[in-house]
Every structure is written in C-alpha cells, then in structure tokens.
Amino acid sequence: MKRLPTLALLLWLCAVFYVGIFLFVGGFLLVRLEVNRTSTCADVLLPEGGPADFCPGRQRFRKAVILIIDALKFDFAHFDPTNTQPRPYENKMPVFDELISSRPSQARLYPFRADPPTTTMQRIKGFTTGSLPTFIDIGNNFASSAILEDNLIHQLGEVGKRVVFMGDDTWENLFPKKFHRSLPFPSFNVKDLHTVDDGILKHLYPIMMGDDWDVLVAHFLGVDHCGHRFGPDHPAMADKLTQMDGVVRSVLDRLQDDTLLVVMGDHGMTDSGDHGGESQKETDAAIFLYSPSPLFPASSSPSEPEVVPQTDLVPTLALLLGVPIPYSSVGQVLLPVFSPNGQTQGAPAGLSQGEALWINAKQVNRFLETYSSMARDIPPDSLSQLQSTFSQLSSQYLQALRQGQRPSPQLQASLQAYLTSVRDTCRACWARFHPAKMVAGVAVLGLACLVTLLVSELSFALAGEGGFLRTPALGGVAAGLCVAGGQMATQGYLEVSWGLCAAALTSEVLVLWRTRRVLTSGGGTGVCGRVWLAAPSLLTPPILVLLLRCLSLLSDSYVIAEGRAATFLLFSLGLYVPLRLNWDGLLLPPAPDPQKPPGLLPSPVASPSAVRRESGALLACVGLLVGTLYLSLSFHTCREEQGSCLPSPFLSPLARIQDSQIKNLQYGLSLAALAVWALLLRRWLRHYGNLNSSGGTVLAARWLLPLACVCAGLHWAVSSAPEDGFRNLAELISLAQEALPRAAFTLLGLGLLLLWLDPLTVFTKTRGPAPGASAPLPPPPPRYRASTGISPEAELHHLIPQLYQRMRLSMEDGRPAGGGAEDEGRPAVEAYGLGSVYSAPLVLLCGLLGLGLLLLHPEGMALAFLLLMLEMGALLHMHASATTLSALQGAHSGGFQVPWTPLVLWSLAATQFFHATGHLPTFTSIQWGAAFVGFPRGHVGTLLPASLVTLNTFSSHILFAVGCPLLLFWPLVCEVRVARTGGGGGEEGGEDAAVMEMRLRENPQQFGSALLQLTTRYLFINGAQVLASVCAAALLRRHLMVWKVFAPKLMFEASGFLVSSVFVLIGVALVMRVDGAVGGWFKRLLPESSR
C-alpha cells in the first residue's frame, strides 16, 4: 500500500471541502458594517433648530448606579402575592414590588427584551452601543474583542464622568482602559457561584459611600452560573435570588437624591438554565428603574411600554445623564422617564418628552444617512421612505417650535413610529449576504462531492498512481497566485477568499480531467466500464436514503425532529440488510429440488449449518440494533419548538438531583455502564489474542484504561456531592474535582501516545524443530500447508501460525505459495493476535477516546455511550455477517471493498447518537460545563475550553469517524472456516483457512484501494449532507426560520464535517502506521538468508 500518496489525496479532498465551507459561510454570515464615528456635544444635527440640539444643557441625574444581575429573567423579578406555593425562583425578590407599590412615581419594573443571540458579550455590546447584533456575533462569546463603535462608556468618559466597574471581566476586554477604576473577576467558570458576587460586595458599598465616582457598574454572575449548573428550579437559585434581593436593598439605603438606580438582566434563561437562542424565555430579562426623587407619572400613562427593548436603554441613559447618544444607536428613548413639559416635581428640570424624541430622531437619521452612504444594505425604496418621513416630521416639529407650541401627542407618536421603523428596517437588512461568495462556495462543495465520488469509484486505479495530484496541486497554486496578483495590481489589497476559490476550482477541474484520462487510458478500460455501469446502480436503497436525508434538510420540521428522523432512517436501512439478503436467496441455505437428479444439482458452496449460523448472528445483531435505537431515545433533549417534550433526566448532572435515592441509582447505573464498557473492550482484545504481548498498546489496554475508569468513577462521586454537605472536606473535594479528571485525561493521553508509538499487539512464539532428539518430547503440533494460517485446535482458534512460506508471500519475495511442509530444521513461528493486528489498535483507540469524551458529559451519559458502543458492534457484525453469507454461497464479488449500505448506516448512527448524547443543532444545547471538567477554577485562555466544548459536542462524530476503517477489517476479523463439499476433496484440500487480516498483507494494492474507497465514500456521505445544508441555507435565506433553524443547522453540520474529516484521517493514519509496523515486524522476523 502506497501510504503517502493515499494520505495526500485524502488531505486534498478534505481541503477543498474546507474551502467551500469557508467561502459559503463568508458570504452567508457576514458581520454588519460598523460605523467608526463618535458623537460629540459640538455636533450640529440637521435640520437645525430648537432649544436643545444634541447635548442637552441640563442633566436630570448627576450619578447612576447600574446593577447587572446576569440572567435576571422577568419571572425572577416579578412578585405574585397570590402565589402561595412559589417555586425556588419565584417571589424571591419582593423589593421591586414593595417599591412600586409604595412609591409609584419613583419606581418601575419592565420586561427587558434582548435581541438574539442572548449571550453575555453580545448583550453588553447591545445595551452600551444601542446597535443590533448579527448571527455570527455569537462566535465571539469565547473571545471578546474591544468594542470599536461609539458607546455609552466612551461618551461618559468624554464628558469627564468617572466610571467605576466591578464584576464580569468581559467588560474589561470590551472596554480596555475606559474605566476610571476597574475591579474585574474571572467569569467563565460557570460552576463558581460566589467568587464574582463576593468580590463585588467587598467593594460595592465602600465605593458608594465615597465620592470618587459618577457612574458605578456592577455585573453579578451568580444567578447565571446557578442556572447553568443547577437550573432555575433548584434551592441554590432561591438562595442566590434572595442574596440579590438583599443587595438591592442595601444599595437603596445608600442611594443619594441625585442618583439613578438601574437594576437589570442582560438575558433570560430556559427551564434548563441555558441561554443563547431567541426563545422568549431567553430574550425576556427584567429592568427596574428607581430614583429617590419623582421620576415617573404617578399613574400609568399611554406612553408606558409593555416591553422595553434593550437598545432603548442607551439613548435613555445618555439623555438622563447629559451625554451624547452614541453615533450608531438605533434605540428609542423610554418616554415615561421624561416629563411631558420637562418639569419634574422636587427634582432638577430635564428634557421634555418631545425634546427627547426630537434629539433621538435626529441622531438616528444622521446614522441612517451615514450608514447608507457607506453600505448598500438598506433597500433604496425603504431608505427613501424613511428619509421622506423624517423630513415631514422635522418640518412639523420646527413649525410647532416657531409657533411657541409643544409638539402634539400625534407628532410624538409619529416620531416614535419613525424610530421603530428605522430599527425594524435595520434588523431586517443587517442579515447581509454576499451572493458571489455563496455561489462560489456551493460550486466548490458540489465539485468536491463529485470528485470524491469519482475517486471512490476509481480507487483501484488511483491507489497505485503516485503522481496523480501533482498537476492539479500545481495548477491550483498557480491559479490562486494569479488571482492574488491581479487583486494587488487592480485593487491594491488582497482578499484571500477569491484566491482560495480559484485554487480549489482549478485543482478540482484538473482532477476531473485526470480521472477522465484514467477512464480512457488503455490500462483503465476495465475500470472505465465498471464506473459507467455503476452509475445506474448508485440509485440503490442506501443512496436513496442518503438522498432523502439531504432533501429533508430543506424542511424546518425535519431539522427540528432530526433526532427521531435519523433514528427512523437508521432503523429502516438496518431492516433492509436481512430483507435484501433474503430477496437474493442468501439468508437461508438453498433447499434441494427433489425433482432433479442428484447429478444435475450444483454443489453447495458451504454447509447449511454454517449459513444458518451466520443468518442467526445477523438477525441477532439486527435485534441488538433495534434495541439500542429504542433505548437511545431516552437520552434526547428538547428544542424550544417541541412544546410538550420533556428532556431526558439523564442529562442533568448528579449535583442537580435532589432526591438521594434517584441520585444513587443513577450513579450506580453510570458506574455499571462504565465497567461494562471497559470489560467488553478488554474481552474483545483478549478473545482475539491481542493482550499477550508486552508492548505499549497492551500496557494501555491492561492498566491505563482500567485506571482511567477508576478515576472517572471517583470524579463522578466527588462531583455529585452537595456543596453544603461536606463543609469540612471542601478543600479536599475541590482538589479532587481538579485532580481526578486530569489524572484520567493524563492516563488516556499516555495510552494514545503508546498506541501510536507501538501499535502492534502481536505476541511471537517460536517452536523448536521437529522431534527426533533422544529426550522425549511432547507430540509435535499439527503440520500446516502454506495456505493454512490457523490451527484447527480450539485453543488456537484465533492463533495464526505463520510458516516461512506464508511470510515469504507476505514479503512478496516471489516464491510460489504451493505445497510443502516446513523444513525439518527450521522452526515454526506462532503469532498470537496477528489475525486482528489492524483492528485491535482501532478498537482500543475508540475505547480510549470514548472514555475521554464520556468524561466531558454528564454522568448519566455513560449509559448512552454504552449503547453507542453496542450499536457500533451491531453494525459491524451485521456488515460482517452479510459479507460472510454472500461468500458462503458464492455471491461475494471478491476484494475488500465496503458497500454503500454499511457506510450510510455508519454515518446515520453518528447523527443519531449526536442527539442521543443530549445535543441539538442549536446554540442553547451546547454543554458549556464540559470546559470545566478538570478545570473547576477556570482557564487562562480560550483555546482549551473551546476545544473541550467542541469535543463534547461532536463526540459521536469523532468516535464513528475514527472507527470507520473497522468496516474494512471486521468481515476479515469475523471470517469463519468453511467446510467445502465436493470438488477436489482431500482432507487438506477440503478446508479453507480463516487467515483474517493477513489477507490484506497478501494483496497490498487491493488493501490500499479498499482503504481509499472506504474513506472517500465516508467523506462523500458527510460532504453531501453539508452541501444539502448549504443549499437549504442559501435557498431559504429569507425564510422565517432561517436564523432559528437553518443557520444553526448549517453551522453544526459544517463543524461536524470538519471534526469528522480530521478524525477519519487520524483513523486512516493509524491504519497506515500499523501497516508499516507489520511490515517491519516481518522483516525483523525473517532471517536474512530467507529473504
């Protein structure tokens, strides 16, 4: 097998898929254009006129205290006196209701609606700049970069106000060197409920009592972290909300008369404590406004809003504090905090409602004109209509001023409607697309799928061609450089996207041209015929199932119910395997026809008992598959759209479970599943003789894996302990939560390293020469022909005695493979585990990776991972039994190629277990707690936590991708001895040997082509699904559910392909590493004279 050319071809195929994804995502998910201009008090907004132009001459408040309680949803702040049995998150903050009831002109509580994505960084950006986020902004939540747009913090500093911040360190990253004083605390450790809050409380009250501040911002994180860790319906949430109620009361006691108090949440949370999406539970937070002096009308007025958008906070605070509204804000002032005539009883005079609306409208109109001159996002007709509306409103307002009248209520309502129209227009238009990049991405992905399919069908011809990629690679590089040079010459700057596009398309076209030459060349005539004859046969049930899945990605209903739909497709295609075998007459032995003479009957290829045995094994595996599919449905979580759905209880960490009996039961089941996982893996390796050697791989299987399992079990026990249950052992528990998972990861990492350095699991044993010496010796073992590779004795059922004739064949020394026994003076060699030498490292790799990935999940997912392993085994044995049944009755075509059916089943199983491990293609389902397994105190950077969350999210993709080569090896591992009847008998000639994976060494070119075909088919199946998601997002980009369903599905599908392709290459690389090690083992074993 030519390892490097095969690996290079696979890397190139993955690279062109990556380029296509990069191009399409770059055109589909664009960040809106940022206007890097700032407002100043010297700005003159057209049309001129009015007593207050941009900066008001009088400020309503001299100071402000802004308390941000992260994830303070409206349900947490609302008090219902009729609720006599409140849940843990209800009626725990009565301070708001008390103030509103006793001081109605000084306090208000509103629902505070966020724009999705509802992640903390985007929310801070929204309520400080007044701008709207875009979909791609959610990717920046791991690494917050400084805000460059004009914002409220910058404006406060420009007018000399001293801003003091304390709390979530995200603010420090967003506003570097913008604060008069900053006290940040690490925010990413969602398991830490108290560090940030306690740090704030240590400094909050002393700073308030001093005079070295004008605006104080405190961002509490305990409520949000409690939701992530325990969910809202937990006693810990009641404690946190009660603590926040006390904080608000303490701040009220220290509040001065000229100070505004704002208490607000940045987003809400779901019933599971998560956020990030656009459901109402996630977007609806709470905002409470209070002033020691009268601020609101004593009774409700028509201007009272039902819901306050978060962007409205920016212009409201700016005008109340006497600073310019940030340049890019599209928010609307909150009218109730401004009096109708500008006079407030017992308080300094401020802006009237009409003046506030006029300043707000002029600022928004200026931004609209500036933005429309820099970008072409806003449709011309919408822009023209908005400009015409503002022109009419400005004329009416100025006319009223010249006549000495206040703006009429109708004019104020029209100004509000104008501001709302601008915001709605911007929200609709800032989903900007780049059609050229989207088309280029679809073209690159489409050609990549076509090329991958052709390579898979031409694998036998291409596996032996070393220079197949040379011309396409050079052509692609040349095309990319030409495009880059043309850009620099004509535009003066380089856009990498188009250079990559040119390189990918050119190389793909050249590969198509090279495959055409292979098809039309003389040596490839047979291949040509097979390929073109195979084109109609591609429309088989497995390909039709794949096509159905791809087409279904155009339906939002299918994407929402994808977990059950994938289970149904997997179940249907699994049943197709025995039905097709039965249709072809291969499931049962052929029945003799009594009407025909015995001489005319064809001799059966195998005994009926062997056929029945394999048929029984196949049906048992189908039953196991059906059982695992049914049980795996118990581990699904729910989308927001699935109203009556209840998430699996196994998704809750043990620390969240309050019933001790249920907690102990779930812990016991998890431990049992973990033990069965390790036991099955060890039994399989021992069964095939792969635990006899003293190499590093056997060390990993014998000792490192069990020790890692022990560490995992202890880690689960420590993590499930309640925080208040073992106060005396708190430090020891904290140390164990950090040390145990790290020890498990270290053991697994060491095992993976040993597996790569020494992948052979073969134990070699030499046997002395034939008896003839004077000393009595035990009877010699049976003599074997050169074609026999396994002893008939039961104890050697999985032992391959390799004679020198067999080894010469494996080394391709050219000698005939025919008869003859061993030479009298030459020792025979028995090699334990040689029959599964390729599959054993892959099985161990799946076991080690599986345990590491399980540690990143909640404890209850151990049962789901056990089902995953059983399902993998069922699919592998179904494929092996189907292949064996075809071979037993002479229907197998020969060679090692893997049909489409097991590959489509394998890919569907990866998707099905993505859902069966508690994941969904939504951002709210991301299990952020995985980032803190072994790191309870948080991280310094963002690379490691992002990697851990990625491994957690795509665990099923990883395991099925890295185990994909097992589909090639399993029929050989499970091959059985077949007693042939008839045709040239003789005892020795009448039995065929199950030499298992050594057949691959005898046919290196077929081995290489089969491995290449297997990998390219798997890449094609996954690439076709990515192409379908891309087409769905492109065609339905104006669909109502595009940002809620199709865009997240595209991101998860593309990310899943990236992860799968990387790990399938790792699996192939390990196979090549083992192949090289086996070749070296034969060279060391054979004496120099025999070679």
Side-chain angles (χ1 to χ4, degrees), residues 317-328:
L317 284 182
L319 297 185
L320 288 176
L321 295 173
V323 300
I325 301 174
Y327 199 100
S328 300

Side-chain angles (χ1 to χ4, degrees), residues 466-511:
F468 176 76
L469 268 184
R470 188 178 298 114
T471 301
L474 292 177
V477 171
L481 292 176
C482 288
V483 170
Q487 286 182 332
M488 293 298 296
T490 58
Q491 302 175 357
Y493 65 91
L494 176 64
E495 190 172 358
V496 179
S497 301
W498 296 116
L500 291 174
C501 177
L505 287 174
T506 303
S507 61
E508 286 174 331
V509 170
L510 289 175
V511 165

Side-chain angles (χ1 to χ4, degrees), residues 5 46 757 942 1026 1082:
L46 298 177
L757 295 177
T942 57
V1026 174
F1082 273 112

Side-chain angles (χ1 to χ4, degrees), residues 846-899:
C846 290
L848 294 173
L849 280 177
L851 179 57
L853 296 172
L854 173 58
L855 274 172
L856 299 176
H857 285 75
E859 300 87 347
M861 287 295 101
L863 294 167
F865 272 73
L866 177 61
L867 291 176
L868 183 149
M869 187 169 104
L870 294 175
E871 186 169 306
M872 290 179 73
L875 292 175
L876 290 170
H877 278 286
M878 285 172 59
H879 169 49
S881 296
T883 304
T884 302
L885 284 171
S886 299
L888 286 174
Q889 304 201 43
H892 192 260
S893 59
F896 307 116
Q897 70 173 4
V898 179

Side-chain angles (χ1 to χ4, degrees), residues 754-777:
L754 292 174
L755 180 62
W756 179 261
L757 295 177
D758 184 18
L760 286 187
T761 55
V762 179
F763 173 65
T764 306
K765 178 181 177 182
T766 58
R767 191 171 65 237
S774 57
L777 293 175

Side-chain angles (χ1 to χ4, degrees), residues 575-658:
L575 291 182
Y576 161 77
V577 175
L579 292 177
R580 178 58 190 266
L581 288 171
N582 187 61
W583 178 268
D584 294 337
L586 303 177
L587 190 62
L588 298 174
D593 189 352
Q595 297 182 357
K596 293 185 178 180
L600 299 178
L601 289 175
S603 59
V605 178
S607 65
S609 61
V611 176
R612 292 192 186 94
R613 185 169 57 249
E614 282 303 309
S615 298
L618 173 64
L619 296 177
C621 291
V622 172
L624 178 60
L625 174 64
V626 174
T628 56
L629 289 176
Y630 177 77
L631 292 175
S632 67
L633 294 175
S634 304
F635 298 91
H636 285 210
T637 187
C638 301
R639 292 181 65 116
E640 173 207 348
E641 299 86 355
Q642 299 168 319
S644 60
C645 174
L646 293 176
S648 169
F650 293 99
L651 293 171
S652 298
L654 291 178
R656 286 192 183 185
I657 301 176
Q658 302 176 47

